[in-house]
Amino acid sequence: MAEERFGQDHWTAQLEQRLHERGFSSLTAFADAHPTRPLVELAEQLGNDFSAVHLFKRLVHEAERSHQVTRLVRGQFVRELHESFPDGWPPVLDEETRLEIALALGSWFGFTPVTHQGRVNRASDALLAQPPPPGWRPNGPDDALLSMLLPDKES
């Protein structure tokens, strides 16, 4: 147990050092500076000793402390959408596109804390029931449509 705790402290300290070297006070500030990059790319940018899971775990920790988990969840949607649909929301929702959307939404759900999974399910259902305009591509977690789907009400 102590060894596991040391390992966590070690990577957290390394992460904080890398962030400070790049001029960021927190991982949240770093992620906010790159709102459309996938977590894998952010991890690579910080060095090969971090994974997307490490970063997400730390982002959740920071979001919980600042009561901004919903904003984090919206931000992860932005990352997933940009990765899956670089040209924005698809203009046609045929069977193949719906599958691609379902995969992107599933990935978003996978990077959602348990406390917000019900809200993400409802937001995903709303996006499929009434799709946004073709080409919609939010550039950050404060996008008006995303904020409407997932308002800043912490559960």
Side-chain angles (χ1 to χ4, degrees):
M1 183 83 144
E3 191 174 308
E4 181 181 311
R5 174 95 174 132
F6 172 77
Q8 180 180 347
D9 289 345
H10 181 71
W11 77 257
T12 301
Q14 277 188 312
L15 178 61
E16 288 175 9
Q17 179 183 356
R18 300 268 172 78
L19 291 166
H20 289 290
E21 289 169 358
R22 288 161 176 77
F24 294 96
S25 60
S26 67
L27 182 56
T28 299
F30 178 72
D32 283 350
H34 309 287
T36 62
R37 287 198 187 143
L39 290 177
V40 170
E41 286 182 24
L42 294 182
E44 289 170 357
Q45 193 172 345
L46 290 168
N48 62 0
D49 22 18
F50 306 111
S51 69
V53 173
H54 281 122
L55 296 192
F56 192 72
K57 183 177 181 178
R58 184 65 187 180
L59 285 168
V60 169
H61 174 75
E62 291 179 11
E64 287 172 340
R65 283 190 3 221
S66 63
H67 305 285
Q68 301 242 342
V69 177
T70 302
R71 187 174 190 279
L72 170 68
V73 170
R74 288 193 312 257
Q76 189 57 34
F77 173 83
V78 171
R79 295 178 197 291
E80 298 298 337
L81 186 66
H82 275 259
E83 186 173 17
S84 299
F85 297 98
D87 295 327
W89 195 266
V92 176
L93 293 182
D94 58 16
E95 189 174 318
E96 182 179 335
T97 305
R98 287 181 79 76
L99 176 61
E100 291 172 15
I101 290 171
L103 291 171
L105 293 174
S107 185
W108 178 35
F109 182 86
F111 273 105
T112 297
V114 173
T115 57
H116 285 62
Q117 288 179 346
R119 293 179 68 199
V120 164
N121 273 336
R122 288 187 294 279
S124 296
D125 290 347
L127 284 169
L128 290 171
Q130 293 185 336
W136 175 66
R137 192 174 68 162
N139 288 315
D142 300 320
D143 175 81
L145 178 56
L146 276 179
S147 293
M148 185 179 72
L149 290 169
L150 284 170
D152 286 321
K153 149 192 107 165
E154 293 301 319
S155 31

